[in-house]
Amino acid sequence: MSVVDTVEILKGRSLSDDEYQRAAVLGWCVELLQAFFLVADDIMDASITRRGQPCWYRQSGVGMVAINDSFLLEAAIYFLLKKYFKQESYYVNLVELFMETTHQTEMGQLVDLITAPEDKIDLSKFSLDKHRYIVVYKTAFYSFYLPVALALYVAGIPESYSVPVSSSTPGETTTRIIEPYAVAKDFLIPLGEYFQIQDDFLDYSAPPEVLGKIGTDILDNKCSWCINTALARATPDQRAILDENYGRKDSEKEAKVKKVYEEIGLRRIYAEYEERTYKKLNELIEAVPETGNQGELKREVFRSFLGKIYKRSM
């Protein structure tokens, strides 16, 4: 729906049936890309359930056939792009965008897999910088930048355009070149990072009845924002507790890790991070030039995304 909603905001009106279908097809392609990643990810992680149901590879009669199924999900993206967009001037842009995003996500997945394997716990490999790389490449590009960039293409937003700006000389104006795809990326990648940090914090802090699942990041040795923040602030004694207890499939050891989180004030640190990030993201929105002309980027695209994420509890 992010693709559809963004196209509608950019056009400033309700979409025709044809416009809606084309935007929806691109939204389906994003969903197919995520499905491809998740089917493969569950095999790599030996996961048991996905959204409350057994993982696809654990379904009766599926097994490792799921690997080929993940490839078919990916191939369906390019089938749909060719079917609905081959005649469009931006067809190659769509194909290249999906290919580039796939590569970025795979790089993030690789770093995640080799940094935090469940069967070999080594917190010395963790860092906030590494966490940021994983988050940006594994989540932010495909979840946030991809649907908006697709919407920009289908809405006919050019790679660049000029807007008038006030000159230092009274009564004169000059022009400024805007690159809307770069502007979108500069906002959406930090937004995606904020979303994942929020997700990491909720995994630790939100009750299961609110979160909709039981948080397992500590048990699963995840390279999350919470553990990396704790490692950066822990005393030697607290660090020893984290090294001894993090990533173990033991609820008592999990409780000891959570106790360290409380001792370092993780809730306060997150609240300060969230407010600081929200302020920065709003500043980025206000910096987007907007003249009201058709064929230009609109601040409402970013306000809509931020409004859905800020202070979410699940």
Side-chain angles (χ1 to χ4, degrees), residues 219-288:
L219 297 173
D220 293 342
N221 191 38
K222 294 296 184 181
C223 183
S224 82
W225 177 84
C226 297
I227 184 61
N228 282 293
T229 300
L231 290 171
R233 290 167 170 78
T235 66
D237 288 343
Q238 289 171 330
R239 174 59 188 256
I241 293 171
L242 296 174
D243 282 329
E244 184 179 341
N245 294 281
Y246 195 79
R248 273 69 175 185
K249 307 291 187 182
D250 184 315
S251 60
E252 291 184 5
K253 291 181 182 293
E254 180 188 30
K256 291 179 181 179
V257 173
K258 288 186 175 182
K259 184 179 178 182
V260 172
Y261 287 177
E262 293 296 330
E263 289 172 353
I264 67 165
L266 193 64
R267 295 175 190 272
R268 172 187 55 78
I269 294 167
Y270 173 76
E272 291 172 352
Y273 161 80
E274 183 168 48
E275 292 309 310
R276 187 169 63 249
T277 302
Y278 183 69
K279 180 181 178 182
K280 177 62 177 176
L281 290 170
N282 273 302
E283 289 172 354
L284 289 172
I285 292 172
E286 293 306 313
V288 176

Side-chain angles (χ1 to χ4, degrees), residues 66 90-91 180 192 207 256 290:
Y90 53 85
Y91 170 64
K256 291 179 181 179
E290 191 174 72

Side-chain angles (χ1 to χ4, degrees), residues 52-267:
Q53 300 293 326
C55 296
W56 179 244
Y57 80 96
R58 297 186 69 248
Q59 297 284 347
S60 176
V62 178
M64 289 302 105
V65 173
I67 296 173
N68 196 65
D69 290 340
S70 74
F71 298 160
L72 290 173
L73 288 165
E74 182 188 25
I77 296 167
Y78 300 99
F79 175 88
L80 288 171
L81 292 178
K82 183 177 180 180
K83 178 179 177 66
Y84 286 96
F85 298 98
K86 187 177 181 181
Q87 73 281 7
E88 302 296 336
S89 61
Y90 53 85
Y91 170 64
V92 172
N93 298 98
L94 299 180
V95 172
E96 289 185 344
L97 180 60
F98 270 101
M99 293 176 68
E100 181 181 22
T101 304
T102 301
H103 183 220
Q104 289 163 333
T105 308
E106 290 165 349
M107 292 301 292
Q109 172 75 346
L110 173 61
V111 175
D112 192 16
L113 288 170
I114 63 179
T115 299
E118 286 192 46
D119 59 345
K120 188 175 182 181
I121 300 158
D122 182 1
L123 298 187
S124 68
K125 290 184 175 182
F126 286 17
S127 71
L128 284 167
D129 284 342
K130 192 168 287 186
H131 174 264
R132 183 178 187 278
Y133 181 93
I134 292 169
V135 166
V136 167
Y137 280 83
K138 186 177 177 179
T139 302
F141 277 111
Y142 95 84
S143 295
F144 289 86
Y145 177 67
L146 175 61
V148 172
L150 292 170
L152 292 175
Y153 282 123
V154 80
I157 306 299
E159 296 283 348
S160 65
Y161 55 83
S162 62
V163 296
V165 294
S166 298
S167 171
S168 56
T169 303
E172 292 186 5
T173 59
T174 59
T175 58
R176 174 184 168 192
I177 301 299
I178 304 300
E179 297 178 336
Y181 295 82
V183 171
K185 186 179 294 183
D186 288 345
F187 174 84
L188 293 162
I189 297 306
L191 182 70
E193 183 181 4
Y194 163 44
F195 176 85
Q196 187 59 55
I197 288 174
Q198 187 181 60
D199 204 59
D200 290 353
F201 180 72
L202 289 172
D203 183 273
Y204 150 65
S205 64
E209 61 271 18
V210 175
L211 189 62
K213 63 178 181 178
I214 298 173
T216 60
D217 284 358
I218 294 173
L219 297 173
D220 293 342
N221 191 38
K222 294 296 184 181
C223 183
S224 82
W225 177 84
C226 297
I227 184 61
N228 282 293
T229 300
L231 290 171
R233 290 167 170 78
T235 66
D237 288 343
Q238 289 171 330
R239 174 59 188 256
I241 293 171
L242 296 174
D243 282 329
E244 184 179 341
N245 294 281
Y246 195 79
R248 273 69 175 185
K249 307 291 187 182
D250 184 315
S251 60
E252 291 184 5
K253 291 181 182 293
E254 180 188 30
K256 291 179 181 179
V257 173
K258 288 186 175 182
K259 184 179 178 182
V260 172
Y261 287 177
E262 293 296 330
E263 289 172 353
I264 67 165
L266 193 64
R267 295 175 190 272

